Amino acid sequence: MDYPRPGKHYPRSVGEFQAWFRTDADCLDYLEWLRWPAGFVCPACGQDGGWRLGDARFKCTGCGSRTSVTAGTIFDRTRTPLTVWFTACWLFASGKDGISALSLKRTLEIGSYQTAWAMLHRLRSVLVHPGRERLTGVVEVDETYIGGKEAGLSGGRAKGKKVLTGIAVEIKEPKGYGRCRMAPLADGSSASLHPFVTDHVEPGATVITDGWQGYRGLDKLGYGHEPRSQRAARARGEDASKLLPAVHRVASLAKRWLLGTHQGSVDDAHLPSYLNEFVFRFNRRHSRSRGMVFYRVLELAVGHDPVRYGDIVAGRRPRKVPPTPPLARGKPPSIERPRANRPWRS
Ligand SMILES: [Zn+2]
């Protein structure tokens, strides 16, 4: 298995990061390698091969259309220099808990909070890649209320609604947890809970829930369903809240992360993208190299459709256009990096 290697495919340290990405040209070179590892492929007609026009722009030898490395990615048409984008991405990926918009603004010394906030939202928007695999094996599923603070109009904080959130966590034998998924739910009815399970859990898995009626019927959807009765647990003198320890652990970590890194300043409209970031981090919590996480975020970023500011401001969700997955890897760019196959997706 050809894993992306530290020091070859991605920087091992902040020193290496700084040495690799001194100029926007260095960043473009890296993005070009991530996006078109086997050489330019025309996004308009799909044909291989093009004329290099300079500035990382290409002209297709087939249809003649011109495109740039950043066209169609989250870096498209932003006024922010790529070196600043890369530093933001490094801070986003290298911190175990990520970074808040306020810290990013201060660290990068960029003028506007809104710019920092929008950059982080663009990065968050690429974290869920289309076609990611559903959870398997034994999976705990529950729902809980998350969030509940909104920026008040007069500068204080008004109490907002908490958002009902579905949580699914893989249980490992003999102990420990695997991957998790989280998503807001309209309500606790089976009309909301069943799609949450089918979206995030592979049929054939064993789904453990509490005794709530909204989970009834999962067995007819192809799951082994093990409801655990809170009433029966109480009757046995057990703590009913410990029926589903994995989802409770993940819920409390997510709440702590929102309050810690983001000081709870997460409004309902953006909660889904913060949940995506939390899930991305949780599922990579054993990753020894933060540089690898940086590589992964950028790789997702160049495979992603552009996200415009209008798509991420309050009340609007990012478009659901599936990005084109990057094709097989190929030639190294000017920095000598070997070919990376990608069997290590999770
Ligand atoms: Zn073309």
Side-chain angles (χ1 to χ4, degrees):
M1 199 149 73
D2 192 6
Y3 255 63
R5 273 178 287 158
K8 283 284 182 185
H9 295 92
Y10 55 84
R12 275 171 291 206
S13 61
V14 66
E16 209 158 65
F17 169 83
Q18 286 166 344
W20 284 23
F21 305 116
R22 287 179 194 284
T23 64
D24 274 17
D26 296 336
C27 301
L28 275 172
D29 183 43
Y30 191 73
L31 292 178
E32 185 188 324
W33 170 71
L34 279 173
R35 187 172 185 190
W36 296 312
F40 173 74
V41 179
C42 176
C45 72
Q47 185 172 310
D48 293 356
W51 304 104
R52 190 184 281 274
L53 302 173
D55 262 3
R57 286 169 70 243
F58 291 86
K59 183 180 176 184
C60 174
T61 49
C63 71
S65 66
R66 288 156 189 244
T67 189
S68 71
V69 173
T70 54
T73 76
I74 60 165
F75 309 114
D76 199 9
R77 288 181 221 175
T78 74
R79 270 185 290 246
T80 307
L82 278 174
T83 47
V84 175
W85 265 111
F86 270 49
T87 307
C89 187
W90 177 263
L91 294 167
F92 180 83
S94 63
K96 187 168 91 39
D97 291 322
I99 188 166
S100 69
L102 193 59
S103 309
L104 186 67
K105 172 188 177 291
R106 286 176 184 151
T107 310
L108 294 182
E109 297 178 327
I110 42 183
S112 116
Y113 173 82
Q114 213 165 29
T115 302
W117 180 89
M119 287 174 87
L120 289 174
H121 266 296
R122 282 203 177 88
L123 290 172
R124 272 178 206 118
S125 73
V126 305
L127 299 180
V128 177
H129 71 84
R132 70 175 174 181
E133 286 158 21
R134 290 181 284 187
L135 305 185
T136 58
V138 179
V139 180
E140 276 185 22
V141 176
D142 201 359
E143 72 292 342
T144 188
Y145 284 92
I146 289 192
K149 276 184 178 175
E150 286 170 352
L153 290 174
S154 56
R157 286 196 195 290
K159 250 201 169 165
K161 286 198 316 273
K162 285 181 179 278
V163 177
L164 189 66
T165 303
I167 305 178
V169 187
E170 289 176 335
I171 308 298
K172 293 291 173 200
E173 288 296 332
K175 71 189 196 75
Y177 307 138
R179 297 169 297 164
C180 80
R181 298 278 187 260
M182 297 175 89
L185 300 167
D187 53 40
S189 70
S190 57
S192 299
L193 292 171
H194 286 187
F196 174 74
V197 173
T198 54
D199 283 353
H200 300 289
V201 186
E202 192 71 22
T206 299
V207 176
I208 303 173
T209 67
D210 60 19
W212 172 242
Q213 58 184 15
Y215 293 108
R216 271 183 218 155
L218 285 179
D219 49 341
K220 294 184 185 71
L221 296 173
Y223 300 97
H225 184 206
E226 282 183 24
R228 288 180 182 167
S229 162
Q230 282 165 303
R231 199 184 302 164
R234 256 183 246 114
R236 289 194 301 269
E238 291 165 15
D239 185 351
S241 69
K242 289 189 181 143
L243 277 181
L244 302 166
V247 287
H248 284 102
R249 174 86 183 129
V250 168
S252 73
L253 286 172
K255 289 172 187 174
R256 202 184 303 165
W257 177 74
L258 286 169
L259 286 172
T261 301
H262 301 289
Q263 280 96 53
S265 61
V266 172
D267 58 89
D268 297 355
H270 298 103
L271 184 65
S273 63
Y274 286 96
L275 294 178
N276 287 339
E277 183 185 344
F278 174 82
V279 166
F280 181 87
R281 294 188 185 287
F282 182 85
N283 292 345
R284 282 158 190 79
R285 65 200 182 280
H286 300 310
S287 178
R288 266 175 304 164
S289 166
R290 307 317 293 177
M292 169 81 159
V293 180
F294 166 80
Y295 172 97
R296 185 85 181 101
V297 172
L298 278 183
E299 186 194 45
L300 286 162
V302 292
H304 202 276
D305 273 14
V307 179
R308 309 263 178 241
Y309 186 76
D311 295 328
I312 51 178
V313 291
R316 294 183 61 189
R317 294 240 187 126
R319 289 181 301 143
K320 281 188 180 162
V321 182
T324 319
L327 302 167
R329 311 268 98 166
K331 80 165 171 48
S334 56
I335 302 170
E336 209 196 329
R337 296 181 206 106
R339 121 190 214 110
N341 290 320
R342 6 220 342 277
W344 43 275
R345 279 194 183 293
S346 67

